[in-house]
Amino acid sequence: MSKTVYLHNKIIEGCKQNKAKSQMQLYDKYCNAMYIIAQRYVKDNFIAEDVMQDAFIKVFKNIQNFKGEVTIGAWIKKIVINQCIDYLKKKKIELVSLENSKIEIVEENNWTVTEDVTFEIVNNAINNLPDKYKVVLNLYLLEGYDHQEIAQILNITEVASRSQLMRGKNKLKSQLKKYNYV
């Protein structure tokens, strides 16, 4: 076992024993990355920080449930994302649920942009979208969730997830037109 893995496991075990020093070490190690993730979902920096703090409270309350099946970072990230979604739901962000009938979504996998479009440009454009599109785009593009998972997380149908993704993509395309979206 490498020294890094040993120290990481020692920090996690300390957190499971409710040791404040270990909790602070875990927080310090992941707080910046988790804050960036929270910012993807909520526009206000102060709210993103609050959401991230609340997520870490959940992390420390539920650390006994961490079994090491995924990395601790992935486990914390999932809690942060869920905390962001819970916040948005409380704020009554309308995630439009559509009837399954009479709607057919054509899956389009062309997300190509020209080389001069950076991740930051795309991320900023996503952040300028209405929340109902931004959340689905973030979950799908940045977090790698599929439509079934998004539907479960947001309590919407898979059809609604696909629809929100396509609508969000179209709005994103129009924002990126000045960069010659291909």
Side-chain angles (χ1 to χ4, degrees):
M1 182 183 310
S2 74
K3 186 175 181 180
T4 305
V5 171
Y6 173 76
L7 289 174
H8 211 238
N9 288 341
K10 188 175 177 181
I11 291 170
I12 294 167
E13 284 306 312
C15 289
K16 286 183 176 183
Q17 296 169 15
N18 208 24
K19 292 184 179 177
K21 182 178 178 183
S22 296
Q23 290 173 336
M24 197 64 203
Q25 288 174 318
L26 187 68
Y27 177 84
D28 287 343
K29 183 168 179 62
Y30 289 100
C31 69
N32 290 334
M34 297 305 142
Y35 174 70
I36 290 167
I37 290 167
Q39 283 181 309
R40 289 184 197 153
Y41 293 88
V42 295
K43 293 178 183 172
D44 185 283
N45 291 338
F46 294 111
I47 294 173
E49 191 171 331
D50 286 347
V51 167
M52 186 219 30
Q53 297 287 342
D54 291 342
F56 269 98
I57 290 169
K58 281 189 177 179
V59 166
F60 297 131
K61 281 184 179 177
N62 295 296
I63 193 80
Q64 299 299 333
N65 298 329
F66 177 71
K67 305 295 183 209
E69 295 164 348
V70 295
T71 65
I72 188 73
W75 188 73
I76 294 170
K77 180 180 177 181
K78 185 172 184 172
I79 293 171
V80 170
I81 291 169
N82 287 336
Q83 192 69 26
C84 290
I85 291 168
D86 288 347
Y87 168 80
L88 292 172
K89 284 179 181 177
K90 284 179 189 169
K91 290 296 178 189
K92 304 211 185 303
I93 300 303
E94 185 182 334
L95 297 168
V96 179
S97 183
L98 303 170
E99 293 295 321
N100 286 336
S101 60
K102 300 181 186 174
I103 295 178
E104 186 176 324
I105 304 297
V106 177
E107 197 70 40
E108 184 185 326
N109 291 320
N110 179 13
W111 291 87
T112 308
V113 292
T114 58
E115 291 179 17
D116 59 331
V117 177
T118 64
F119 173 79
E120 272 193 20
I121 292 170
V122 174
N123 198 34
N124 287 337
I126 290 173
N127 284 331
N128 290 326
L129 293 173
D131 287 332
K132 61 185 177 182
Y133 303 130
K134 181 175 76 168
V135 171
V136 174
L137 279 167
N138 278 328
L139 289 171
Y140 186 82
L141 292 177
L142 303 177
E143 311 303 342
Y145 287 103
D146 63 26
H147 291 293
Q148 181 180 11
E149 294 166 322
I150 293 170
Q152 289 174 349
I153 291 168
L154 299 179
N155 198 26
I156 60 176
T157 65
E158 284 184 53
V159 171
S161 173
R162 291 176 197 283
S163 174
Q164 297 293 27
L165 180 68
M166 294 311 300
R167 290 176 183 172
K169 180 184 176 190
N170 289 335
K171 287 195 175 287
L172 186 61
K173 279 171 85 171
S174 68
Q175 284 189 26
L176 296 175
K177 274 187 181 171
K178 62 184 171 188
Y179 299 103
N180 297 322
Y181 188 96
V182 291

